[in-house]
């Protein structure tokens, strides 16, 4: 993986709208491309155009303009899928990037670069959801194996700019949520042009992003930073009603989730200047995890030795997975070494090139 000694700080300063100073633009633009945040630099370019190299402004505007066109196509694709599912009696929940597309004003639509459309349906709606998408030309590209803990199916259609990732549960293991995960009571009904959808309330959109990055994408165990999603969390907080970070922290249960959420909040405060309550960014393990993230981004060779830091929360993970009652009955097993297959998977993933991760 590439080394980003100074580029990470410079890129974050640009995303914060700070005046450019001693910026090595080739490295910064390279890192912005890797983290999928290049379109998000458009506000910085518009603000400091006279202070920036002409080719930097031209490139960022070109990428942003193309992303506007792509996201306009994604919105049309999403509306068609929603209307088709509505016809089968299904009102889907838009999550992650799909929720962003469904709530962002058209003039701001090009700021976020996204890979696919994440749509959630209720367990009793999965067959109808798949049938509705098949009826408008989608085919199953990949799906969870029978008996998997999470049901999901990736569906593609020729000519579209993104796939649809159809799911029946919120990202990450359900044991990490307090309560039923992403229930309809956590959403608001909305119209997507001519389609009917549910969109999670901002605080649940933020929680979904954090759990996705930290556990579904293994970021907490690997020490990854997803700068694109940090920017999205920052933008959610900058919306009409700022997020109540203490309320968000109260939505999770167990030491593992508490550590993971606070690690993400420390990154928001340190990298993007978001105002986070001191109590949520002062505990030792989350601060160690953020130091690890920063070090790995600058010196990728540290990724392997820092994998040992997962031992700090391995017992907490097993406690969450087994349930508090069963964990109390077998306390010694909580701190045994991870399985060989788990270590091999993490080692392989630690050095894989993953879009948006650093």
């Amino acid at each position: 993986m590439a080394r980003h000694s100074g580029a990470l700080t410079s890129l974050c300063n640009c995303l914060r709208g700070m005046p450019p100073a001693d910026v090595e633009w080739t490295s910064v633009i390279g890192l912005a491309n890797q983290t999928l945040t290049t379109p998000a630099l458009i506000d910085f370019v518009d603000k400091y155009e006279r202070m920036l190299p002409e080719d930097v402004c031209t490139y960022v505007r070109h990428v942003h303009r193309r992303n506007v066109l792509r996201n306009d196509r994604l919105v049309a694709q999403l509306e068609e899928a929603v209307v088709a599912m509505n016809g089968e009696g299904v009102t889907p929940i838009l999550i992650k990037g799909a929720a962003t597309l469904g709530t962002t004003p058209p003039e701001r639509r090009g700021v976020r670069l996204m890979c696919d459309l994440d749509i959630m349906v209720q367990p009793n709606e999965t067959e109808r959801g798949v049938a509705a998408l098949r009826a408008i030309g989608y085919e199953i590209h990949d799906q969870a194996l029978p008996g998997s803990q999470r049901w999901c199916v990736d569906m593609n259609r020729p000519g579209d700019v993104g796939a649809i990732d159809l799911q029946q549960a919120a990202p990450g293991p359900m044991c990490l949520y307090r309560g039923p995960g992403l229930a309809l009571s956590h959403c608001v009904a909305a119209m997507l042009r001519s389609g009917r959808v549910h969109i999670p309330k901002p605080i649940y959109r933020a929680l979904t992003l954090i759990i996705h990055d930290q556990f579904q994408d293994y970021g907490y165990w690997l020490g990854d930073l997803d700068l694109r999603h940090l920017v999205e969390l920052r933008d959610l907080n900058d919306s009409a009603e700022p997020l109540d970070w203490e309320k968000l922290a109260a939505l999770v249960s167990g030491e593992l989730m508490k550590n993971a959420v606070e690690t993400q909040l420390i990154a928001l405060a340190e990298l993007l200047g978001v105002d986070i309550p001191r109590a949520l960014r002062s505990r030792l393990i989350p601060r160690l995890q953020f130091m690890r993230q920063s070090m790995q981004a600058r010196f990728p060779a540290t990724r392997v030795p820092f994998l040992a830091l997962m031992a700090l929360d391995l017992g907490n993970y097993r406690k969450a997975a087994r349930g508090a009652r069963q964990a109390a009955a077998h306390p010694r097993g909580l701190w045994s070494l991870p399985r060989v297959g788990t270590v091999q998977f993490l080692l392989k993933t630690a050095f894989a090139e993953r879009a948006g991760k650093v």
Side-chain angles (χ1 to χ4, degrees):
M1 299 185 73
R3 173 175 171 172
H4 305 293
S5 296
L8 179 61
T9 299
S10 294
L11 175 57
C12 289
N13 288 342
C14 294
L15 292 168
R16 293 172 67 171
M18 299 173 65
D22 300 323
V23 178
E24 206 289 293
W25 289 110
T26 300
S27 298
V28 168
I29 295 299
L31 182 57
N33 289 339
Q34 180 182 332
T35 56
L36 308 181
T37 55
T38 305
L41 291 172
I42 188 66
D43 294 332
F44 173 79
V45 165
D46 288 344
K47 184 176 182 180
Y48 296 110
E49 179 180 10
R50 295 182 180 180
M51 302 173 62
L52 301 177
E54 182 179 353
D55 56 347
V56 169
C57 296
T58 300
Y59 178 75
V60 170
R61 287 195 171 117
H62 175 73
V63 172
H64 177 263
R65 185 165 55 250
R66 291 181 64 87
N67 196 48
V68 169
L69 297 175
R70 183 176 187 273
N71 285 356
D72 284 344
R73 291 182 62 185
L74 280 173
V75 170
Q77 182 184 336
L78 179 60
E79 180 194 11
E80 183 186 9
V82 166
V83 170
M85 284 190 277
N86 289 166
E88 295 292 331
V90 176
T91 302
I93 300 175
L94 306 186
I95 59 176
K96 295 174 55 194
T100 300
L101 285 177
T103 56
T104 302
E107 65 271 14
R108 297 293 298 170
R109 197 173 283 159
V111 173
R112 181 167 177 336
L113 199 156
M114 55 195 71
C115 302
D116 53 18
L117 297 170
D118 292 276
I119 300 175
M120 179 176 152
V121 296
Q122 301 301 313
N124 63 344
E125 297 174 337
T126 55
E127 291 185 5
R128 283 179 287 158
V130 170
L133 294 177
R134 282 186 179 277
I136 56 173
Y138 284 88
E139 294 294 336
I140 293 177
H141 173 69
D142 193 17
Q143 62 182 324
L145 296 173
S148 299
Q149 291 185 348
R150 287 182 52 80
W151 181 91
C152 60
V153 56
D154 290 331
M155 304 190 72
N156 292 341
R157 184 174 63 175
D160 283 343
V161 294
I164 288 181
D165 186 359
L166 195 64
Q167 308 168 45
Q168 70 173 23
M174 290 305 296
C175 63
L176 301 180
Y177 290 87
R178 184 188 297 275
L182 192 57
L184 287 178
S185 60
H186 302 156
C187 302
V188 295
M191 296 298 297
L192 182 70
R193 296 180 179 173
S194 57
R196 301 183 310 278
V197 297
H198 297 291
I199 296 178
K201 298 172 185 176
I203 197 166
Y204 288 97
R205 288 173 59 190
L207 180 63
T208 298
L209 278 176
I210 292 173
I211 293 180
H212 175 274
D213 287 350
Q214 298 288 56
F215 295 106
Q216 187 160 314
D217 275 1
Y218 312 105
Y220 189 67
W221 306 117
L222 297 172
D224 285 340
L225 281 169
D226 192 314
L227 195 56
R228 175 181 57 143
H229 285 165
L230 288 176
V231 170
E232 186 165 355
L233 288 170
R234 189 268 314 271
D235 291 346
L236 271 173
N237 187 60
D238 289 344
S239 59
E241 184 177 346
L243 295 176
D244 184 336
W245 299 111
E246 292 175 331
K247 181 179 178 181
L248 184 147
L251 294 174
V252 301
S253 60
E255 287 298 309
L256 174 64
M257 270 304 300
K258 186 176 180 181
N259 290 339
V261 167
E262 290 183 16
T263 298
Q264 199 86 326
L265 298 187
I266 291 170
L268 269 176
E270 297 290 338
L271 298 179
L272 297 179
V274 177
D275 185 16
I276 303 293
R278 183 173 181 81
L280 297 178
R281 50 185 175 87
S282 59
R283 293 192 310 114
L284 178 61
I285 290 181
R287 293 210 65 84
L288 287 175
Q289 289 286 13
F290 173 69
M291 290 171 61
R292 171 199 185 187
Q293 291 174 331
S294 301
M295 184 67 72
Q296 289 182 180
R298 291 171 170 84
F299 307 104
T302 62
R303 294 181 71 86
V304 169
F306 278 157
L307 277 177
L309 279 176
M310 72 178 182
L312 293 173
D313 265 311
L314 189 57
N316 289 327
Y317 170 74
R318 288 173 174 162
K319 186 184 296 183
R322 296 180 186 180
R325 185 172 301 176
Q326 185 180 353
H330 304 282
R332 295 184 63 184
L334 297 177
W335 298 103
S336 58
L337 293 173
R339 296 173 182 174
V340 172
T342 300
V343 175
Q344 290 175 336
F345 171 79
L346 291 175
L347 283 170
K348 179 180 179 181
T349 310
F351 286 96
E353 291 291 341
R354 302 199 296 161
K357 310 296 182 181
V358 63

